[in-house]
Amino acid sequence: FSNNNKSGDGHPVLVLPGFMATDVSTSPLRAFIKNIGYTSYGWGAGRNYANEVYLDMLLEKVEDIFLTHRTKVSIIGWSLGGVFAREIGKRKPNLIRQIITLGSPFAGVTEPNNAMWLYELLTDGRGTEDVDPELLRGIPDPAPLPTTAIYSKEDGVVPWETCMEAIEDDLHQNIQVRGSHLGLGVNPSVMEI
């Protein structure tokens, strides 16, 4: 995935891993981002155990990156990392340039048969009463900034239909690629996008 014709403007890009993953899983993607001329950051929080307390940590991290570079931050979130990326974009749109989600199941989480897995993740198995209901209700809502939802019908981990923006418009787009969920971070089609 090398590109000797760097075209990036050096702006910061924060890459968030999926559930149970670490920055190790996103290192090829971050290396690619750096190689094409951007400044890449890992999330730096160890393994992603899907705890909603990560949101406050990530909001602080985005603010710190913004203040360091004095420019807006792009966020790429893989799987659950994309759910967090969208939430950051909704809470701090003035700090975010764009969001790219990779196989992130943000749509349909309020449907009774789709929400339980998310409740279980966010509460470490404790149940629905421990999840902020506002957070859950708002997950399907789009962030008010440029967002690209990348999904694959061959995902194999999350239902691809839950990885797409409900409405495409000037700010929100869906792009289908071929490949597995676990391969999205090294997928040549994703790198091209």
Side-chain angles (χ1 to χ4, degrees):
F1 303 120
S2 66
N3 179 352
N4 294 329
N5 300 322
K6 291 185 178 189
S7 57
D9 61 8
H11 86 264
V13 180
L14 175 62
V15 183
L16 307 179
F19 177 58
M20 295 300 291
T22 66
D23 283 333
V24 171
S25 70
T26 64
S27 61
L29 180 56
R30 287 183 289 114
F32 174 78
I33 290 165
K34 181 180 177 185
N35 189 46
I36 61 171
Y38 298 95
T39 305
S40 73
Y41 286 87
W43 88 318
R47 193 166 301 282
N48 184 348
Y49 289 113
N51 195 314
E52 67 181 295
V53 299
Y54 293 146
L55 194 51
D56 289 334
M57 177 272 300
L58 289 168
L59 290 167
E60 269 186 48
K61 185 169 187 87
V62 165
E63 287 176 7
D64 290 346
I65 294 170
F66 177 83
L67 291 173
T68 298
H69 291 270
R70 301 278 185 218
T71 190
K72 291 183 177 185
V73 180
S74 291
I75 305 177
I76 299 173
W78 190 351
S79 195
L80 182 63
V83 175
F84 283 124
R86 288 166 49 88
E87 290 307 305
I88 295 164
K90 290 178 224 175
R91 295 181 189 203
K92 296 286 183 180
N94 57 316
L95 304 181
I96 308 301
R97 180 175 180 164
Q98 70 175 347
I99 294 169
I100 300 172
T101 61
L102 309 178
S104 298
F106 53 81
V109 296
T110 55
E111 302 293 322
N113 55 341
N114 290 334
M116 190 51 67
W117 70 269
L118 188 61
Y119 288 129
E120 293 292 320
L121 287 179
L122 292 173
T123 65
D124 199 22
R126 291 186 308 273
T128 59
E129 64 279 356
D130 289 341
V131 179
D132 176 359
E134 289 298 313
L135 173 65
L136 282 174
R137 264 195 299 280
I139 286 175
D141 299 338
L145 46 93
T147 304
T148 300
I150 298 175
Y151 69 97
S152 171
K153 290 185 178 182
E154 296 88 20
D155 188 293
V157 173
V158 298
W160 63 269
E161 301 90 342
T162 66
C163 302
M164 299 171 59
E165 295 286 355
I167 298 172
E168 290 188 279
D169 55 29
D170 291 344
L171 291 179
H172 307 95
Q173 67 176 339
N174 299 310
I175 300 177
Q176 180 183 349
V177 297
R178 302 225 32 191
S180 71
H181 185 81
L182 297 177
L184 287 170
V186 293
N187 184 317
S189 297
V190 171
M191 301 295 187
E192 181 70 25
I193 295 164

